[in-house]
């Protein structure tokens, strides 16, 4: 399904999100002019920051009964969900979007330039959602929306909860943690060998102290470690002593190095004699011509 022709007009009416400081300044200016038509639109953000605020229009949405990890309550807000002063979510069902494609466009016009982070939470309830999702992805890129997908109400509720839970958390809370501890690096390396687990790896370090000692240990010594046996010790020993290169590459390197090594004095003299004879033959051929 193609996007509606009115998308360009929609984009023209939507401005870039404003920062919280700028929004506060505009609110103060509007409040200084009571009685104007802008009083309602300049209503400051709700002070209820301890919970998720829910639009009254979301009554009856099955998502609400799965929001259990954070408190929520209904409030007079423009988006469907507000998880912070600068974060909001719009909820959209793909099935409903196919029936009423203008709905999301009208909601975006209503939302305008409010909030820094605007999320379009889409519940995928169609068997063939690809075409519709493609159009919604394009819409999100053009209107500065973050697209999040859920395949059931429970998943949608979990996304809303996570946005609230991590609202004020630093970025490193969700970033991949890089382990710099040498001990942990050795544990991780050893536990990649099947069937050695992290407990076995720590047992090996406690028994042999260093990785070098583990490598030098015999199969019988490895088998004596708690949690080990003959089979596990044999696999570990093999993994630590088998060549890193594949057999094909190993044979190629072996063939390549067959002629490597120091030459003896006799070999050098033999080569010199062959060179001299070759030069003499070339000289005789030139003389005859």
């Amino acid at each position: 399904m193609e996007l509606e022709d009115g998308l360009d007009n929609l984009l023209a009416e939507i401005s870039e999100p404003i920062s919280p400081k700028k929004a506060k300044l505009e609110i103060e200016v509007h409040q200084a002019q009571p009685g104007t038509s802008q009083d309602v639109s300049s209503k400051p953000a709700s002070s209820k920051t301890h919970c998720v605020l829910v639009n009254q229009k979301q009554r009856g949405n099955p998502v609400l009964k799965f929001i259990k990890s954070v408190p929520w309550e209904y409030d007079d807000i423009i988006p469907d969900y507000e998880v912070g002063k600068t974060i909001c979510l719009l909820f959209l069902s793909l099935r409903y979007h196919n029936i009423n494609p203008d709905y999301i466009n009208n909601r975006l016009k209503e939302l305008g330039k409010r909030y820094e982070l605007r999320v379009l939470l889409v519940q995928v309830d169609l068997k063939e959602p690809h075409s519709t999702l493609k159009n919604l992805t394009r819409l999100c890129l053009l209107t500065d929306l973050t697209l999040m997908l859920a395949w059931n109400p429970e998943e949608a509720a979990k996304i809303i909860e996570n946005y609230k839970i991590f609202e004020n958390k630093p970025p490193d809370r969700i970033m991949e943690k890089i382990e710099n501890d040498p001990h942990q690096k050795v544990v991780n390396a050893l536990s990649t060998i099947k069937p050695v687990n992290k407990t076995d790896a720590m047992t090996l370090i406690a028994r042999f102290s260093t990785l070098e000692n583990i490598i030098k240990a015999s199969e019988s010594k490895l088998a004596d470690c708690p949690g080990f046996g003959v089979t596990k010790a044999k696999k570990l020993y093999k993994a630590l002593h088998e060549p890193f290169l594949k057999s094909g590459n190993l044979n190629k390197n072996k063939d390549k190095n067959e002629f490597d090594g120091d030459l003896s004095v006799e070999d050098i003299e033999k080569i010199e004699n062959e060179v001299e004879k070759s030069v003499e033959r070339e000289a005789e051929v030139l003389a005859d011509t």
Side-chain angles (χ1 to χ4, degrees):
M1 180 184 69
E2 296 296 330
L3 286 174
E4 296 296 318
D5 296 337
L7 177 60
D8 293 334
N9 296 331
L10 167 67
L11 298 178
E13 296 179 14
I14 299 177
S15 305
E16 289 295 322
I18 55 178
S19 63
K21 293 183 179 179
K22 186 176 180 182
K24 183 178 180 181
L25 179 60
E26 290 181 356
I27 290 170
E28 291 174 352
V29 172
H30 292 318
Q31 289 177 339
Q33 300 175 351
T36 64
S37 60
Q38 296 174 337
D39 286 344
V40 177
S41 62
S42 61
K43 180 182 178 181
S46 174
S47 60
K48 303 173 183 177
T49 57
H50 67 286
C51 63
V52 175
L53 301 182
V54 182
N55 193 311
Q56 297 284 350
K57 297 178 182 179
Q58 288 294 298
R59 288 184 181 273
N61 190 335
V63 172
L64 295 176
K65 67 180 182 180
F66 292 107
I67 301 179
K68 300 177 180 178
S69 299
V70 296
W72 63 270
E73 63 181 63
Y74 292 109
D75 200 351
D76 184 17
I77 58 175
I78 295 176
D80 293 323
Y81 302 92
E82 183 182 290
V83 297
K85 291 183 178 180
T86 60
I87 307 172
C88 73
L89 294 93
L90 294 176
F91 180 82
L92 181 64
S93 161
L94 286 188
R95 185 177 300 172
Y96 182 81
H97 177 66
N98 278 352
I99 298 173
N100 189 1
D102 290 332
Y103 169 78
I104 189 61
N105 295 345
N106 295 331
R107 293 302 305 277
L108 287 173
K109 289 180 182 179
E110 186 182 6
L111 186 64
K113 58 184 179 181
R114 298 171 179 84
Y115 303 95
E116 281 189 331
L117 176 58
R118 298 106 61 79
V119 179
L120 179 60
L121 177 56
V122 175
Q123 182 172 320
V124 182
D125 48 9
L126 292 177
K127 291 184 178 180
E128 297 295 335
H130 305 90
S131 177
T132 306
L133 287 177
K134 182 179 180 181
N135 291 334
L136 287 175
T137 300
R138 178 171 177 264
L139 175 66
C140 290
L141 290 173
L142 295 174
T143 56
D144 196 28
L145 285 170
T146 298
L147 179 63
M148 297 295 291
L149 303 181
W151 271 257
N152 53 60
E154 188 173 1
E155 287 186 2
K158 192 65 178 178
I159 292 173
I160 296 172
E161 290 177 345
N162 286 336
Y163 270 108
K164 186 60 182 177
I165 292 171
F166 290 97
E167 175 190 1
N168 299 314
K169 297 294 189 296
D172 56 1
R173 287 294 300 272
I174 59 175
M175 294 173 63
E176 180 182 2
K177 291 180 173 58
I178 300 176
E179 192 62 62
N180 294 320
D181 182 18
H183 176 271
Q184 189 62 41
K185 287 182 178 180
V186 174
V187 171
N188 293 339
L190 290 173
S191 59
T192 59
I193 303 173
K194 294 182 179 181
V196 179
N197 55 40
K198 290 189 176 182
T199 302
D200 296 331
M202 290 187 286
T203 300
L204 291 170
I205 294 174
R207 173 66 66 89
F208 298 103
S209 300
T210 66
L211 181 60
E212 181 181 5
N213 291 337
I214 296 174
I215 296 173
K216 290 181 178 179
S218 62
E219 289 187 30
S220 59
K221 289 185 177 180
L222 293 175
D224 290 337
C225 293
F228 280 76
V230 177
T231 302
K232 184 180 292 188
K234 184 175 182 180
K235 290 183 178 180
L236 174 61
Y237 185 87
K238 181 181 178 181
L240 293 175
H241 292 83
E242 65 183 2
F244 288 101
L245 294 177
K246 294 182 179 180
S247 57
N249 295 333
L250 189 62
N251 292 333
K252 289 180 181 179
N253 291 337
K254 183 178 179 180
D255 295 339
K256 181 179 178 181
N257 297 330
E258 278 184 355
F259 301 100
D260 291 349
D262 296 333
L263 294 174
S264 62
V265 177
E266 291 79 6
D267 293 333
I268 296 175
E269 291 179 352
K270 184 178 180 181
I271 293 173
E272 289 177 349
N273 292 333
E274 291 179 354
V275 172
E276 290 177 359
K277 290 180 180 179
S278 177
V279 172
E280 291 176 357
R281 286 196 296 269
E282 291 180 359
E284 292 177 355
V285 172
L286 292 174
D288 293 338
T289 56

